[in-house]
Amino acid sequence: MKIGIIGAGMVGRAIGKLAVGSGHEVMLSNSRGPQTLFSLSRAIGCEVGTVEEAAAFAEVVVIAIPLAAYRSVPVAPLEGKLVIDTDNYYVERDGSIPELDAGETTTSEMLARHLPRSRIVKAFNAIIMDDLEKGGRPAGSSERRALPLAGDNSADKAIVARLYEEFGFDAVDVGLLAEGWRFERGRPVYCVPMNASGLKDALAKAIR
Ligand SMILES: NC(=O)c1ccc[n+]([C@@H]2O[C@H](COP(=O)([O-])OP(=O)(O)OC[C@H]3O[C@@H](n4cnc5c(N)ncnc54)[C@H](OP(=O)(O)O)[C@@H]3O)[C@@H](O)[C@H]2O)c1
């Protein structure tokens, strides 16, 4: 697949590296421009571009920026595309967002409102990137960890589940995008290593 990544920090780099290792074509981008990503492109073996170029290049776009910047994500180039939302809400970094503080919405539903003609899947947000890079294990391994995802379209979730699988993780489908609160920051499963059955149990017991 052609995967465009908006954000080239901890998350963009980790997913980019793993995706290249799994045979995907990757274009990384940030707000400062591809000239700031020259060394990274060599290290990862990916292309680099502007945010608009990464969006246009991609079949699947990964959003990996501080949540506070989500409104800067370009709308038109992402129309009709699968968009994987990795963002989390940290008030100390993103400032206070009253809707989230009140539990009225989720970070991914906010992104979905901003990108009304894109198909959003919430994924890769509930694992520390060092664990994502080093924690993948073959299917059936007793140490194999599971990761949650949520979205409104089964075919899109299957594509994201395949990426989890390629990176060495089981996928647990949490349901519709609105259920994504179950694995946001502060929930019991957030960034805690669990296998698939443990993760399903903990997700079911989450209290909003
Ligand atoms: N770190 C983790 O282990 C982890 C795990 C799961 C989820 N997350 C979540 O994933 C998101 C990214 O986290 P991170 O740790 O990768 O952050 P980070 O290391 O600070 O990287 C953020 C990246 O986004 C770019 N960026 C910032 N504003 C942008 C904009 N408006 N347009 C395009 N690019 C922009 C930054 O580059 P420029 O400033 O040069 O544009 C930088 O490359 C956050 O919401 C975080 O909470 C993090």
Side-chain angles (χ1 to χ4, degrees), residues 13-89:
R13 291 165 194 223
I15 293 178
K17 191 171 164 192
L18 289 165
V20 168
S22 297
H24 299 288
E25 289 178 62
V26 171
M27 186 182 288
L28 271 177
S29 66
N30 64 7
S31 70
R32 288 175 300 145
Q35 73 285 354
T36 65
L37 298 171
F38 178 75
S39 305
L40 193 58
S41 74
R42 299 276 175 104
I44 291 181
C46 67
E47 296 185 47
V48 292
T50 64
V51 167
E52 286 72 17
E53 285 166 347
F57 159 92
E59 297 162 277
V60 174
V61 178
V62 176
I63 306 298
I65 61 178
L67 178 66
Y70 82 93
R71 285 196 188 85
S72 74
V73 173
V75 177
L78 298 187
E79 283 187 6
K81 295 194 179 183
L82 166 54
V83 173
I84 301 175
D85 178 31
T86 73
D87 284 358
N88 290 309
Y89 174 40

Side-chain angles (χ1 to χ4, degrees), residues 106-158:
T106 60
T107 56
S108 297
E109 289 172 288
M110 284 171 28
L111 182 68
R113 274 207 317 261
H114 175 67
L115 302 173
R117 282 175 291 282
S118 304
R119 306 179 328 262
I120 315 297
V121 172
K122 183 182 191 72
F124 292 103
N125 69 300
I127 180 168
I128 294 165
M129 286 302 108
D130 197 43
D131 290 353
L132 186 75
E133 283 196 59
K134 297 177 185 153
R137 294 289 182 275
S141 160
S142 60
E143 294 178 348
R144 173 112 152 169
R145 185 170 166 178
L147 297 176
L149 58 88
D152 295 341
N153 180 296
S154 300
D156 293 331
K157 288 193 280 193

